[in-house]
Amino acid sequence: MKKTLIALAALGALTSVAQAQSSVALYGLLDSGVRHDSAGPKGSAGNTGTQNLFTSGILNTSRFGFRGTEDLGGGMKANFNLESGINAGTGAGSSTSNIFDRRAVLGMEDSWGRVDIGRNTTFAYDLQAGYVNDPLGQELTTNRQNAAVSATSVNPLGTLVGSALDTSRRDNMVKYLSPKLAGTNLGLAYSFGNVSGSTAANSSVQFMAKYDVRPLQLGLSYDRLRDTGGRKQTLLTTGGNYIFEGYKVTGGYTQMQADAGFVNSNTSILTNSGSSTSLYKFLAGASASTTGLKAAVFDLGVGFNATPLTQVVVAYYNTKFSADGLSSNRYDTFAARARYTLSKRTDLYAAIDYTKAKGMTAAQTASGTTSNTGLSVGIQHRF
């Protein structure tokens, strides 16, 4: 009996040590609210008008996930992260094909840095969602902007660095992030195309550099993605922010360029001439399937605390789309967002945005009008 008690005590001690060396956590974010647009999308009969919508993820996509780490000894750790987007209004998943559409990675880290493999975010998304070179940090990217192309978002960086152009996440990725040296992190990533007979088809290469020594942050990333035919789409994003006297000033520039005939996985925004989600009408009849496409966004914004519990961001975005042989069509977006802290995990927010399209007629836009004003209010909770 005594030996049994000693064995059980030893087993309990080992279990406690194992639990101390490993951890698994459930986490998530729920974001729900109501949005009003002065210009809704054109209906099948061509009618236009205002729209009022209950919206999941006005500021940030609602999601849940699992993440864990295991201490392997000697400073080395194994990590995993599974994350899925959800619609807080219906309870449905944000993807009909991927259970964990936002992230599914397994990795290791040590003093030499971190390596993750699987479906992961791109470096361009990491910089912008981290508020390095986007004043809104990829907020307001799930709300459609009908004063231009309906597949574009209120925050246009959600279009250039988003699922519509395959620039926010990649499958089959090996992603390396170096430790911080002199305030600087470097990153390299490669995505396997998994196409028989070709190492280039569907593959991508990324590079990132970030400098972070407060009050200054700077970031740069480059991304080259190839389709099954070897044609390429490149994405460059750069910029930074500076904090002084309680104000955070952020600026950035993002440019996407696709070869003529480049086939994106979400081809509707590029090639479907009969849809308002397409750039075809916005570019006055130029299809990205036959001409090269270029898009660029310049952003500038300032954030500050209006009260100890209220944080405000005011931002401006200038967006230009062009195709080979055509002049640029552009739209300008002004946005302001206020976030009031109720607790460490719960916020109330309100936002207003105004977009004006230039260089095209109303018939070329998704709403039949060249301007739109949006109003949003909601609540966000993290767990």
Side-chain angles (χ1 to χ4, degrees):
M1 181 67 178
K2 187 176 180 180
K3 290 182 179 180
T4 302
L5 291 174
I6 293 174
L8 289 173
L11 179 60
L14 289 173
T15 302
S16 297
V17 171
Q19 289 177 342
Q21 292 178 336
S22 302
S23 65
V24 177
L26 168 68
Y27 69 94
L29 179 152
L30 292 175
D31 183 329
S32 298
V34 177
R35 177 171 173 83
H36 166 83
D37 287 287
S38 64
K42 286 185 287 189
S44 58
N47 57 305
T48 63
T50 63
Q51 65 176 5
N52 298 294
L53 301 171
F54 176 91
T55 303
S56 170
I58 291 178
L59 290 190
N60 303 106
T61 301
S62 297
R63 82 287 300 259
F64 75 95
F66 305 90
R67 57 184 166 219
T69 182
E70 181 184 14
D71 189 346
L72 301 176
M76 182 176 291
K77 295 180 180 180
N79 309 293
F80 80 90
N81 190 187
L82 301 171
E83 186 174 290
S84 177
I86 57 175
N87 185 319
T90 65
S94 59
S95 172
T96 58
S97 57
N98 296 10
I99 297 177
F100 297 105
D101 58 313
R102 293 179 58 83
R103 185 177 279 122
V105 299
L106 176 65
M108 298 182 68
E109 64 178 308
D110 202 340
S111 58
W112 41 258
R114 175 171 180 144
V115 173
D116 288 312
I117 58 175
R119 178 171 173 80
N120 209 344
T121 56
T122 63
F123 287 125
Y125 178 87
D126 295 341
L127 291 176
Q128 292 179 359
Y131 296 88
V132 175
N133 57 341
D134 177 8
L136 285 173
Q138 283 276 320
E139 295 175 2
L140 296 174
T141 59
T142 59
N143 307 280
R144 298 309 177 200
Q145 183 48 260
N146 298 307
V149 184
S150 66
T152 62
S153 56
V154 171
N155 180 344
L157 292 176
T159 304
L160 265 65
V161 182
S163 59
L165 295 169
D166 293 341
T167 48
S168 63
R169 289 170 175 81
R170 296 279 162 74
D171 294 335
N172 312 314
M173 184 193 299
V174 178
K175 184 178 182 180
Y176 168 74
L177 183 65
S178 77
K180 183 182 288 189
L181 299 174
T184 302
N185 292 106
L186 299 177
L188 289 171
Y190 179 80
S191 299
F192 290 84
N194 287 4
V195 175
S196 178
S198 173
T199 58
N202 277 350
S203 68
S204 70
V205 177
Q206 300 174 60
F207 166 79
M208 185 276 293
K210 183 174 74 171
Y211 175 81
D212 185 3
V213 177
R214 287 301 184 187
L216 178 65
Q217 273 189 324
L218 298 171
L220 168 73
S221 73
Y222 174 80
D223 178 359
R224 188 193 67 195
L225 170 66
R226 294 190 181 275
D227 66 7
T228 55
R231 295 171 291 264
K232 67 180 183 295
Q233 172 183 281
T234 59
L235 181 79
L236 171 71
T237 183
T238 186
N241 62 80
Y242 186 80
I243 299 175
F244 67 101
E245 297 183 355
Y247 291 88
K248 181 180 179 182
V249 178
T250 304
Y253 178 77
T254 302
Q255 177 181 291
M256 186 278 292
Q257 192 160 359
D259 287 344
F262 179 84
V263 179
N264 190 279
S265 68
N266 183 358
T267 56
S268 64
I269 191 173
L270 301 176
T271 60
N272 185 359
S273 61
S275 171
S276 62
T277 64
S278 168
L279 291 173
Y280 182 88
K281 292 182 178 179
F282 198 68
L283 293 173
S287 172
S289 63
T290 57
T291 62
L293 177 68
K294 181 178 180 181
V297 176
F298 165 77
D299 64 84
L300 182 65
V302 59
F304 59 93
N305 288 325
T307 74
L309 298 177
T310 306
Q311 198 263 346
V312 176
V313 175
V314 179
Y316 165 72
Y317 300 88
N318 172 261
T319 305
K320 294 182 179 179
F321 283 107
S322 62
D324 290 345
L326 294 180
S327 59
S328 298
N329 288 336
R330 59 175 279 187
Y331 57 95
D332 297 297
T333 303
F334 301 86
R337 184 268 292 156
R339 187 194 290 262
Y340 179 76
T341 301
L342 291 175
S343 71
K344 290 183 178 180
R345 296 188 296 175
T346 305
D347 296 337
L348 297 176
Y349 61 82
I352 181 171
D353 55 86
Y354 173 77
T355 297
K356 176 67 176 177
K358 300 178 181 179
M360 72 294 299
T361 66
Q364 292 169 243
T365 67
S367 63
T369 180
T370 57
S371 65
N372 178 67
T373 299
L375 300 171
S376 304
V377 293
I379 183 171
Q380 186 176 102
H381 177 78
R382 298 176 184 269
F383 59 90

